[in-house]
Structure formats: C-alpha cells, structure tokens
Amino acid sequence: MKVEGNVVHARADEIEALLTHLKSVTTTAFVHIEAEGVNEKTTLLRLAWVDESVKELLTSLTLEGFYPYVKRDKVTSFVHERRLSQLWKPLLDGNYSQDENGIVYHFEAAIQKPARPRLLVIFSSMPPYIFTSSLNRYMTFNYQSMAKFSNKETSVLRIADFGGILGNFYMDTKVHPKNSSNIMALIRRTMVELGVDNRDVVLLGSSKGGTGAVHYGLKMRLPYVAVDPVLSEHHYWEKFNDSHFTRDTVFDQTKDEFFDELCTDERFQTFDEGQQVIIYSSRSPQLQNISKYILERNPNGLSIDVVNEEIKDHPDVAPKSLHVTTSVVSSMLAGIELRNGQKTIV
C-alpha cells in the first residue's frame, strides 16, 4: 500500500491495512485499487458479484463513504463523497445540484410560467449496465420526454440514488441514516419554492425508482405512480446472487421489513381517488411482492396490469408500458380525475 497525501494506492488483498488507514486518516479523498480479474471487459463491481472477498472490499469502502468513479486497466478509482462536487462532471458543470444534506438532484423548470404550478418528481431506476464504474449509475434519466407530454406548467425534479454500491433504493443506510428525511426535505422545499399544492405533485419511478415512488408517496401522502416497483430483495438474492448488493452490505433493514411496516391500511386510506397508481405486469417476477404489499392491502388505488406478450421479464415492464405511464401521469398533472380499481391492458 502506498500513501501520497490524501491519495491511497492499494491492492485488493490489502483490505485490512487500507481500512485501518482510512479510519485513522479521515482526510483521505481518493483510493485507487488494483485487482486481478479487472480488465477491459470486467469492472470491479462485476467481479464483486462473483467474488465474496471483492464484495467485502466494496462494502467496506462504501461504509467509509468511498464510491468507484472510473476504471483504468486493473485499477478502479474511488472518491470520497465529500469531494463529489469537485469531481463528478454533472455537478461541476452545473447540470446537477447538491443540497446542504448531500442529496444530488436535477431540476428542470416548467416550460411556461405557471398560473397553477405542478411538480413531477422522478426517482431513478438502475443503469443500463449495473456494474459500471461510472458515478452515473446513481442517476438514470428515465422518462426523458415526460415533461414534453405533460402540462407545460410542470417542473421536473430528478433525484439521484446516491449511496450504496449500486444505489440505496432511496432508503436509509448505515452510511446515511437520515437519507429518507433528507430526500423528503428536498421535495418539500421544492414544492414550497414553486408554490405547488400536494394535489399537483406526482412521484414517478420504475423498478428501483418505483421503490422510491411508493416509499415517498406513502410517507409524504403525495400522489404517486410506481411502475413494477422492487419491494423485496429475495428474487435478486435467490436467482441473481445478490446482483444489487443489498445483502449484508449497507442496510440495517430489508425491503421486506420496510414495506411490511410502511404499507398499512392507515396510510393507503389517506389518499383521494386516483392518487395511488401501480403499473405492473402479471408476466413479471415482481408481481408476487407487489401483490403481497400493495394489491392485497390497498383497496384505495388504481392498479394496471400490462400483459403485453413482449414482456418476458421485469426489465421489459417499464418500456412496454410507457404509453400507459405517460397517459396516467399526464392526466394526473392535468387535474383529470382517475378512478380506483383494477385494469388490464394488452
């Protein structure tokens, strides 16, 4: 291991010495890890998926506030979160912003000055390649044309899922135990600044973003549209060897524990007609948990089953239901009342 000021160079097998140094020298800003097995086609995150010792290394660095941002040959570079604004290009060029609590976001003002302002809050899904070394894995620009099809008085707030190895599903973690409170503060502050009423907000997300939409919709009592939300880890633990790095990493609570507590009749019943929308597919493996925590518990929402034959798995649901999602969100932002119930769309 080699130390040069606030930069550390280490091999992947030097984890104990590295962690001892990071805990004693809290000004460390960059860590460069050389690992056998990392090459042109394989990132450190991809390697960690199949190698428990590398997963332990990634978890330990994440718990110390370090995140991979680039790969060069066998070396993966990590940056401490306090240096994000000095390194991550979207923050440097002003495309993204970061608030006083460290929440990274992108804001798009309404096309025209609103007489009745609306706000669309979009939570990010996983990136196209989940094992990328780029920090862009924390902010995927889903529904890029949604504002164009929505009311021109609608502003769009996109919130990055920064933290965790591949993100933290917008939940609290051991590193950021106040993450949920900070995200809610950002949404509320944006609403106040724009003068947006609760009824003129829609929270939207698919997959991991759908996890966020359900979470904050129920916690904040704000209208939400969740597309095939991920409400349990077990599918990814059992079939994909924990491909999202949520088992024994940075979380104190599983999604099952969290949504079992959150999804209560008391919360569901506080919404007006047509303010809770779940778009899913009976062809998706997520159906079991969506049914368990939402469909079977919530008589006060609109659920839409998209049974398009081109849907073969969970990642297909969002793109194959885009027309439905666009129609629903646009209607909600236009103030058109939706009716609760269950619908099936082919």
Side-chain angles (χ1 to χ4, degrees):
M1 189 174 75
K2 181 180 179 181
V3 180
E4 297 176 330
N6 63 358
V7 180
V8 178
H9 300 263
R11 299 190 313 273
D13 59 4
E14 296 179 301
I15 180 172
E16 291 187 10
L18 173 60
L19 291 176
T20 297
H21 176 80
L22 295 179
K23 291 179 185 298
S24 62
V25 183
T26 57
T27 56
T28 302
F30 300 95
V31 175
H32 304 293
I33 300 292
E34 181 178 345
E36 294 298 326
V38 173
N39 52 48
E40 183 180 344
K41 296 183 178 179
T42 303
T43 66
L44 191 69
L45 279 79
R46 174 64 177 79
L47 189 62
W49 183 37
V50 295
D51 187 323
E52 281 296 322
S53 65
V54 180
K55 179 181 177 181
E56 180 185 352
L57 170 65
L58 272 177
T59 300
S60 299
L61 285 170
T62 302
L63 290 171
E64 294 298 324
F66 287 88
Y67 304 94
Y69 68 90
V70 70
K71 176 178 73 70
R72 303 179 183 91
D73 297 323
K74 294 183 179 181
V75 177
T76 303
S77 297
F78 292 71
V79 60
H80 195 275
E81 60 186 358
R82 65 175 172 269
R83 294 294 293 271
L84 270 185
S85 61
Q86 299 166 299
L87 176 83
W88 197 3
K89 189 176 184 301
L91 284 174
L92 284 169
D93 63 21
N95 188 36
Y96 295 172
S97 299
Q98 187 174 28
D99 71 8
E100 68 277 6
N101 296 315
I103 303 299
V104 176
Y105 64 95
H106 176 272
F107 179 75
E108 180 182 341
I111 296 173
Q112 67 183 39
K113 186 176 181 180
R116 177 181 168 182
R118 277 89 163 175
L119 177 65
L120 175 62
V121 181
I122 301 179
F123 298 93
S124 172
S125 70
M126 285 289 179
Y129 179 57
I130 64 174
F131 300 125
T132 177
S133 299
S134 170
L135 290 168
N136 292 331
R137 64 185 173 276
Y138 297 123
M139 178 77 101
T140 300
F141 267 64
N142 311 109
Y143 304 111
Q144 294 188 39
S145 299
M146 189 63 73
K148 181 174 68 176
F149 294 113
S150 298
N151 191 293
K152 292 183 179 180
E153 297 181 326
T154 300
S155 296
V156 180
L157 173 68
R158 297 177 181 273
I159 304 177
D161 184 33
F162 193 82
I165 296 173
L166 294 181
N168 52 33
F169 285 82
Y170 297 97
M171 297 172 66
D172 292 337
T173 66
K174 296 174 184 176
V175 190
H176 296 293
K178 295 183 178 180
N179 189 52
S180 297
S181 297
N182 292 338
I183 289 173
M184 288 191 287
L186 171 62
I187 295 172
R188 285 294 183 198
R189 182 168 63 249
T190 304
M191 290 173 60
V192 170
E193 290 173 354
L194 295 175
V196 178
D197 186 83
N198 281 19
R199 62 178 178 161
D200 292 324
V201 177
V202 175
L203 309 185
L204 170 65
S206 64
S207 190
K208 175 167 69 83
T211 309
V214 173
H215 176 170
Y216 295 95
L218 290 178
K219 269 193 178 178
M220 302 180 73
R221 292 177 169 81
L222 293 174
Y224 64 91
V225 178
V227 181
D228 221 40
V230 177
L231 306 178
S232 170
E233 278 95 357
H234 288 291
H235 175 68
Y236 295 95
W237 287 359
E238 295 165 7
K239 189 172 181 179
F240 294 104
N241 190 37
D242 189 28
S243 58
H244 292 162
F245 301 107
T246 59
R247 179 165 52 193
D248 302 324
T249 54
V250 301
F251 300 93
D252 284 321
Q253 192 176 35
T254 67
K255 291 187 190 67
D256 286 277
E257 293 168 337
F258 179 80
F259 284 103
D260 187 49
E261 293 177 3
L262 182 70
C263 297
T264 63
D265 183 69
E266 180 182 5
R267 290 187 188 274
F268 288 135
Q269 293 294 351
T270 59
F271 288 82
D272 292 334
E273 184 93 6
Q275 290 189 331
Q276 301 179 87
V277 182
I278 301 295
I279 299 171
Y280 66 98
S281 177
S282 50
R283 302 172 66 88
S284 168
Q286 299 303 321
L287 174 61
Q288 178 181 353
N289 296 302
I290 292 171
S291 294
K292 180 179 179 181
Y293 294 119
I294 298 180
L295 304 184
E296 296 173 10
R297 299 188 185 194
N298 184 14
N300 189 34
L302 170 60
S303 58
I304 303 174
D305 182 6
V306 181
V307 293
N308 186 323
E309 291 184 357
E310 295 182 10
I311 295 176
K312 308 297 183 183
D313 203 349
H314 167 66
D316 301 324
V317 179
K320 298 305 178 184
S321 63
L322 181 59
H323 59 303
V324 180
T325 306
T326 301
S327 298
V328 167
V329 173
S330 296
S331 296
M332 294 171 74
L333 290 170
I336 299 172
E337 184 175 306
L338 303 177
R339 306 300 297 177
N340 289 342
Q342 201 283 324
K343 307 292 182 183
T344 300
I345 296 179
V346 179

